[in-house]
Structure formats: structure tokens, C-alpha cells
PDB file of all heavy atoms in Angstrom:
ATOM      1  N   ARG I1238      -9.628   2.224 -71.292  1.00 94.00           N
ATOM      2  CA  ARG I1238      -9.533   3.105 -72.459  1.00 94.00           C
ATOM      3  C   ARG I1238     -10.283   2.550 -73.651  1.00 94.00           C
ATOM      4  O   ARG I1238     -10.922   3.308 -74.385  1.00 94.00           O
ATOM      5  CB  ARG I1238      -8.033   3.311 -72.809  1.00 94.00           C
ATOM      6  CG  ARG I1238      -7.311   4.255 -71.868  1.00 94.00           C
ATOM      7  CD  ARG I1238      -5.793   4.167 -72.066  1.00 94.00           C
ATOM      8  NE  ARG I1238      -5.424   4.482 -73.438  1.00 94.00           N
ATOM      9  CZ  ARG I1238      -5.140   5.704 -73.863  1.00 94.00           C
ATOM     10  NH1 ARG I1238      -5.202   6.740 -73.028  1.00 94.00           N
ATOM     11  NH2 ARG I1238      -4.796   5.930 -75.121  1.00 94.00           N
ATOM     12  N   ALA I1239     -10.229   1.237 -73.837  1.00 94.00           N
ATOM     13  CA  ALA I1239     -10.978   0.620 -74.928  1.00 94.00           C
ATOM     14  C   ALA I1239     -12.482   0.824 -74.788  1.00 94.00           C
ATOM     15  O   ALA I1239     -13.182   1.111 -75.779  1.00 94.00           O
ATOM     16  CB  ALA I1239     -10.630  -0.863 -75.014  1.00 94.00           C
ATOM     17  N   LYS I1240     -12.965   0.726 -73.567  1.00 94.00           N
ATOM     18  CA  LYS I1240     -14.395   0.950 -73.326  1.00 94.00           C
ATOM     19  C   LYS I1240     -14.772   2.385 -73.642  1.00 94.00           C
ATOM     20  O   LYS I1240     -15.815   2.653 -74.264  1.00 94.00           O
ATOM     21  CB  LYS I1240     -14.732   0.605 -71.883  1.00 94.00           C
ATOM     22  CG  LYS I1240     -16.201   0.825 -71.513  1.00 94.00           C
ATOM     23  CD  LYS I1240     -16.461   0.486 -70.063  1.00 94.00           C
ATOM     24  CE  LYS I1240     -17.906   0.760 -69.707  1.00 94.00           C
ATOM     25  NZ  LYS I1240     -18.190   0.471 -68.272  1.00 94.00           N
ATOM     26  N   LEU I1241     -13.932   3.328 -73.206  1.00 94.00           N
ATOM     27  CA  LEU I1241     -14.205   4.748 -73.467  1.00 94.00           C
ATOM     28  C   LEU I1241     -14.176   5.041 -74.951  1.00 94.00           C
ATOM     29  O   LEU I1241     -15.082   5.719 -75.485  1.00 94.00           O
ATOM     30  CB  LEU I1241     -13.171   5.603 -72.740  1.00 94.00           C
ATOM     31  CG  LEU I1241     -13.203   7.117 -73.039  1.00 94.00           C
ATOM     32  CD1 LEU I1241     -14.513   7.721 -72.596  1.00 94.00           C
ATOM     33  CD2 LEU I1241     -12.019   7.825 -72.355  1.00 94.00           C
ATOM     34  N   PHE I1242     -13.175   4.560 -75.646  1.00 94.00           N
ATOM     35  CA  PHE I1242     -13.051   4.843 -77.075  1.00 94.00           C
ATOM     36  C   PHE I1242     -14.178   4.174 -77.871  1.00 94.00           C
ATOM     37  O   PHE I1242     -14.556   4.691 -78.923  1.00 94.00           O
ATOM     38  CB  PHE I1242     -11.687   4.369 -77.580  1.00 94.00           C
ATOM     39  CG  PHE I1242     -10.536   5.098 -76.960  1.00 94.00           C
ATOM     40  CD1 PHE I1242      -9.258   4.530 -76.912  1.00 94.00           C
ATOM     41  CD2 PHE I1242     -10.719   6.351 -76.363  1.00 94.00           C
ATOM     42  CE1 PHE I1242      -8.207   5.212 -76.338  1.00 94.00           C
ATOM     43  CE2 PHE I1242      -9.656   7.029 -75.788  1.00 94.00           C
ATOM     44  CZ  PHE I1242      -8.400   6.451 -75.773  1.00 94.00           C
ATOM     45  N   ALA I1243     -14.680   3.058 -77.395  1.00 93.00           N
ATOM     46  CA  ALA I1243     -15.818   2.413 -78.064  1.00 93.00           C
ATOM     47  C   ALA I1243     -17.067   3.265 -77.951  1.00 93.00           C
ATOM     48  O   ALA I1243     -17.833   3.390 -78.924  1.00 93.00           O
ATOM     49  CB  ALA I1243     -16.066   1.028 -77.489  1.00 93.00           C
ATOM     50  N   LEU I1244     -17.305   3.855 -76.802  1.00 93.00           N
ATOM     51  CA  LEU I1244     -18.438   4.757 -76.631  1.00 93.00           C
ATOM     52  C   LEU I1244     -18.293   5.991 -77.517  1.00 93.00           C
ATOM     53  O   LEU I1244     -19.293   6.526 -78.000  1.00 93.00           O
ATOM     54  CB  LEU I1244     -18.576   5.184 -75.157  1.00 93.00           C
ATOM     55  CG  LEU I1244     -19.024   4.103 -74.162  1.00 93.00           C
ATOM     56  CD1 LEU I1244     -18.930   4.600 -72.748  1.00 93.00           C
ATOM     57  CD2 LEU I1244     -20.436   3.649 -74.473  1.00 93.00           C
ATOM     58  N   MET I1245     -17.066   6.442 -77.704  1.00 92.00           N
ATOM     59  CA  MET I1245     -16.824   7.603 -78.545  1.00 92.00           C
ATOM     60  C   MET I1245     -16.808   7.254 -80.029  1.00 92.00           C
ATOM     61  O   MET I1245     -16.777   8.142 -80.877  1.00 92.00           O
ATOM     62  CB  MET I1245     -15.472   8.234 -78.162  1.00 92.00           C
ATOM     63  CG  MET I1245     -15.420   8.801 -76.759  1.00 92.00           C
ATOM     64  SD  MET I1245     -13.728   9.271 -76.306  1.00 92.00           S
ATOM     65  CE  MET I1245     -13.346  10.442 -77.614  1.00 92.00           C
ATOM     66  N   ALA I1246     -16.800   5.946 -80.347  1.00 91.00           N
ATOM     67  CA  ALA I1246     -16.747   5.467 -81.748  1.00 91.00           C
ATOM     68  C   ALA I1246     -15.481   5.971 -82.448  1.00 91.00           C
ATOM     69  O   ALA I1246     -15.512   6.368 -83.604  1.00 91.00           O
ATOM     70  CB  ALA I1246     -17.985   5.888 -82.509  1.00 91.00           C
ATOM     71  N   LEU I1247     -14.351   5.942 -81.717  1.00 90.00           N
ATOM     72  CA  LEU I1247     -13.098   6.318 -82.338  1.00 90.00           C
ATOM     73  C   LEU I1247     -12.578   5.189 -83.217  1.00 90.00           C
ATOM     74  O   LEU I1247     -12.842   4.006 -82.954  1.00 90.00           O
ATOM     75  CB  LEU I1247     -12.051   6.629 -81.251  1.00 90.00           C
ATOM     76  CG  LEU I1247     -12.264   7.893 -80.398  1.00 90.00           C
ATOM     77  CD1 LEU I1247     -11.086   8.066 -79.458  1.00 90.00           C
ATOM     78  CD2 LEU I1247     -12.427   9.087 -81.281  1.00 90.00           C
ATOM     79  N   PRO I1248     -11.849   5.500 -84.290  1.00 89.00           N
ATOM     80  CA  PRO I1248     -11.259   4.429 -85.112  1.00 89.00           C
ATOM     81  C   PRO I1248     -10.233   3.638 -84.316  1.00 89.00           C
ATOM     82  O   PRO I1248      -9.647   4.148 -83.355  1.00 89.00           O
ATOM     83  CB  PRO I1248     -10.620   5.215 -86.263  1.00 89.00           C
ATOM     84  CG  PRO I1248     -10.435   6.605 -85.770  1.00 89.00           C
ATOM     85  CD  PRO I1248     -11.551   6.845 -84.811  1.00 89.00           C
ATOM     86  N   PRO I1249     -10.001   2.377 -84.712  1.00 85.00           N
ATOM     87  CA  PRO I1249      -9.051   1.533 -83.946  1.00 85.00           C
ATOM     88  C   PRO I1249      -7.649   2.107 -83.843  1.00 85.00           C
ATOM     89  O   PRO I1249      -6.924   1.834 -82.898  1.00 85.00           O
ATOM     90  CB  PRO I1249      -9.047   0.206 -84.723  1.00 85.00           C
ATOM     91  CG  PRO I1249     -10.355   0.199 -85.475  1.00 85.00           C
ATOM     92  CD  PRO I1249     -10.638   1.618 -85.807  1.00 85.00           C
ATOM     93  N   THR I1250      -7.252   2.924 -84.842  1.00 85.00           N
ATOM     94  CA  THR I1250      -5.903   3.485 -84.830  1.00 85.00           C
ATOM     95  C   THR I1250      -5.774   4.663 -83.878  1.00 85.00           C
ATOM     96  O   THR I1250      -4.646   5.073 -83.550  1.00 85.00           O
ATOM     97  CB  THR I1250      -5.509   3.920 -86.241  1.00 85.00           C
ATOM     98  OG1 THR I1250      -6.477   4.855 -86.745  1.00 85.00           O
ATOM     99  CG2 THR I1250      -5.445   2.725 -87.177  1.00 85.00           C
ATOM    100  N   ALA I1251      -6.860   5.235 -83.439  1.00 84.00           N
ATOM    101  CA  ALA I1251      -6.827   6.410 -82.555  1.00 84.00           C
ATOM    102  C   ALA I1251      -6.690   5.974 -81.097  1.00 84.00           C
ATOM    103  O   ALA I1251      -7.461   5.118 -80.632  1.00 84.00           O
ATOM    104  CB  ALA I1251      -8.086   7.276 -82.737  1.00 84.00           C
ATOM    105  N   SER I1252      -5.740   6.518 -80.416  1.00 85.00           N
ATOM    106  CA  SER I1252      -5.533   6.220 -78.992  1.00 85.00           C
ATOM    107  C   SER I1252      -4.960   7.438 -78.288  1.00 85.00           C
ATOM    108  O   SER I1252      -3.803   7.459 -77.865  1.00 85.00           O
ATOM    109  CB  SER I1252      -4.591   5.016 -78.834  1.00 85.00           C
ATOM    110  OG  SER I1252      -4.434   4.677 -77.477  1.00 85.00           O
ATOM    111  N   PRO I1253      -5.768   8.488 -78.142  1.00 88.00           N
ATOM    112  CA  PRO I1253      -5.262   9.721 -77.535  1.00 88.00           C
ATOM    113  C   PRO I1253      -5.020   9.567 -76.038  1.00 88.00           C
ATOM    114  O   PRO I1253      -5.652   8.739 -75.366  1.00 88.00           O
ATOM    115  CB  PRO I1253      -6.389  10.724 -77.819  1.00 88.00           C
ATOM    116  CG  PRO I1253      -7.624   9.891 -77.893  1.00 88.00           C
ATOM    117  CD  PRO I1253      -7.186   8.601 -78.503  1.00 88.00           C
ATOM    118  N   ASP I1254      -4.091  10.368 -75.546  1.00 87.00           N
ATOM    119  CA  ASP I1254      -3.864  10.415 -74.096  1.00 87.00           C
ATOM    120  C   ASP I1254      -5.016  11.183 -73.430  1.00 87.00           C
ATOM    121  O   ASP I1254      -5.664  12.030 -74.043  1.00 87.00           O
ATOM    122  CB  ASP I1254      -2.529  11.093 -73.798  1.00 87.00           C
ATOM    123  CG  ASP I1254      -1.350  10.287 -74.324  1.00 87.00           C
ATOM    124  OD1 ASP I1254      -1.469   9.059 -74.335  1.00 87.00           O
ATOM    125  OD2 ASP I1254      -0.326  10.892 -74.709  1.00 87.00           O
ATOM    126  N   LEU I1255      -5.222  10.870 -72.164  1.00 89.00           N
ATOM    127  CA  LEU I1255      -6.294  11.535 -71.417  1.00 89.00           C
ATOM    128  C   LEU I1255      -5.719  12.680 -70.581  1.00 89.00           C
ATOM    129  O   LEU I1255      -4.654  12.551 -69.977  1.00 89.00           O
ATOM    130  CB  LEU I1255      -7.003  10.532 -70.483  1.00 89.00           C
ATOM    131  CG  LEU I1255      -7.572   9.268 -71.137  1.00 89.00           C
ATOM    132  CD1 LEU I1255      -8.304   8.439 -70.115  1.00 89.00           C
ATOM    133  CD2 LEU I1255      -8.473   9.599 -72.297  1.00 89.00           C
ATOM    134  N   SER I1256      -6.447  13.748 -70.587  1.00 88.00           N
ATOM    135  CA  SER I1256      -6.064  14.894 -69.729  1.00 88.00           C
ATOM    136  C   SER I1256      -7.126  15.054 -68.646  1.00 88.00           C
ATOM    137  O   SER I1256      -8.290  14.751 -68.855  1.00 88.00           O
ATOM    138  CB  SER I1256      -5.950  16.175 -70.571  1.00 88.00           C
ATOM    139  OG  SER I1256      -7.220  16.563 -71.072  1.00 88.00           O
ATOM    140  N   GLY I1257      -6.686  15.573 -67.537  1.00 85.00           N
ATOM    141  CA  GLY I1257      -7.628  15.791 -66.445  1.00 85.00           C
ATOM    142  C   GLY I1257      -7.134  15.068 -65.190  1.00 85.00           C
ATOM    143  O   GLY I1257      -6.109  14.388 -65.176  1.00 85.00           O
ATOM    144  N   THR I1258      -7.877  15.245 -64.152  1.00 85.00           N
ATOM    145  CA  THR I1258      -7.524  14.666 -62.858  1.00 85.00           C
ATOM    146  C   THR I1258      -8.796  14.257 -62.118  1.00 85.00           C
ATOM    147  O   THR I1258      -9.883  14.730 -62.437  1.00 85.00           O
ATOM    148  CB  THR I1258      -6.720  15.667 -62.015  1.00 85.00           C
ATOM    149  OG1 THR I1258      -6.477  15.108 -60.718  1.00 85.00           O
ATOM    150  CG2 THR I1258      -7.499  16.970 -61.844  1.00 85.00           C
ATOM    151  N   LEU I1259      -8.622  13.356 -61.193  1.00 86.00           N
ATOM    152  CA  LEU I1259      -9.753  12.952 -60.374  1.00 86.00           C
ATOM    153  C   LEU I1259     -10.133  13.961 -59.332  1.00 86.00           C
ATOM    154  O   LEU I1259     -11.202  13.867 -58.717  1.00 86.00           O
ATOM    155  CB  LEU I1259      -9.452  11.583 -59.694  1.00 86.00           C
ATOM    156  CG  LEU I1259      -9.340  10.373 -60.623  1.00 86.00           C
ATOM    157  CD1 LEU I1259      -8.880   9.158 -59.826  1.00 86.00           C
ATOM    158  CD2 LEU I1259     -10.666  10.095 -61.278  1.00 86.00           C
ATOM    159  N   ASN I1260      -9.262  14.959 -59.090  1.00 82.00           N
ATOM    160  CA  ASN I1260      -9.588  16.013 -58.150  1.00 82.00           C
ATOM    161  C   ASN I1260     -10.520  16.993 -58.791  1.00 82.00           C
ATOM    162  O   ASN I1260     -10.122  17.757 -59.684  1.00 82.00           O
ATOM    163  CB  ASN I1260      -8.300  16.747 -57.710  1.00 82.00           C
ATOM    164  CG  ASN I1260      -7.513  15.912 -56.700  1.00 82.00           C
ATOM    165  OD1 ASN I1260      -8.015  15.580 -55.638  1.00 82.00           O
ATOM    166  ND2 ASN I1260      -6.293  15.585 -57.026  1.00 82.00           N
ATOM    167  N   GLY I1261     -11.781  16.964 -58.452  1.00 70.00           N
ATOM    168  CA  GLY I1261     -12.779  17.875 -59.003  1.00 70.00           C
ATOM    169  C   GLY I1261     -12.969  19.090 -58.123  1.00 70.00           C
ATOM    170  O   GLY I1261     -12.398  19.218 -57.028  1.00 70.00           O
ATOM    171  N   ASN I1262     -13.787  19.992 -58.649  1.00 66.00           N
ATOM    172  CA  ASN I1262     -14.104  21.206 -57.878  1.00 66.00           C
ATOM    173  C   ASN I1262     -15.041  20.845 -56.737  1.00 66.00           C
ATOM    174  O   ASN I1262     -15.755  19.840 -56.754  1.00 66.00           O
ATOM    175  CB  ASN I1262     -14.760  22.239 -58.790  1.00 66.00           C
ATOM    176  CG  ASN I1262     -13.822  22.686 -59.886  1.00 66.00           C
ATOM    177  OD1 ASN I1262     -12.616  22.749 -59.700  1.00 66.00           O
ATOM    178  ND2 ASN I1262     -14.396  23.007 -61.065  1.00 66.00           N
ATOM    179  N   ASP I1263     -15.044  21.724 -55.731  1.00 65.00           N
ATOM    180  CA  ASP I1263     -15.948  21.541 -54.616  1.00 65.00           C
ATOM    181  C   ASP I1263     -17.406  21.691 -55.079  1.00 65.00           C
ATOM    182  O   ASP I1263     -17.721  22.492 -55.957  1.00 65.00           O
ATOM    183  CB  ASP I1263     -15.672  22.555 -53.513  1.00 65.00           C
ATOM    184  CG  ASP I1263     -14.303  22.305 -52.864  1.00 65.00           C
ATOM    185  OD1 ASP I1263     -13.833  21.160 -52.892  1.00 65.00           O
ATOM    186  OD2 ASP I1263     -13.718  23.272 -52.341  1.00 65.00           O
TER     187      ASP I1263
END
């Protein structure tokens, strides 16, 4: 999560939950 938020340049206080699943469409 820290790596992802660094790429997004989120502030240190921001830590949103992730939505989605690894099951993708065909």
C-alpha cells in the first residue's frame, strides 16, 4: 500500500481502502 500511495503522491495521512478483486474479466 505504501508503494501504491507513493506513486499516487497521496499525503501521509491518507490511507484509503482498496476496492476491487483479482478476478478480472475474460
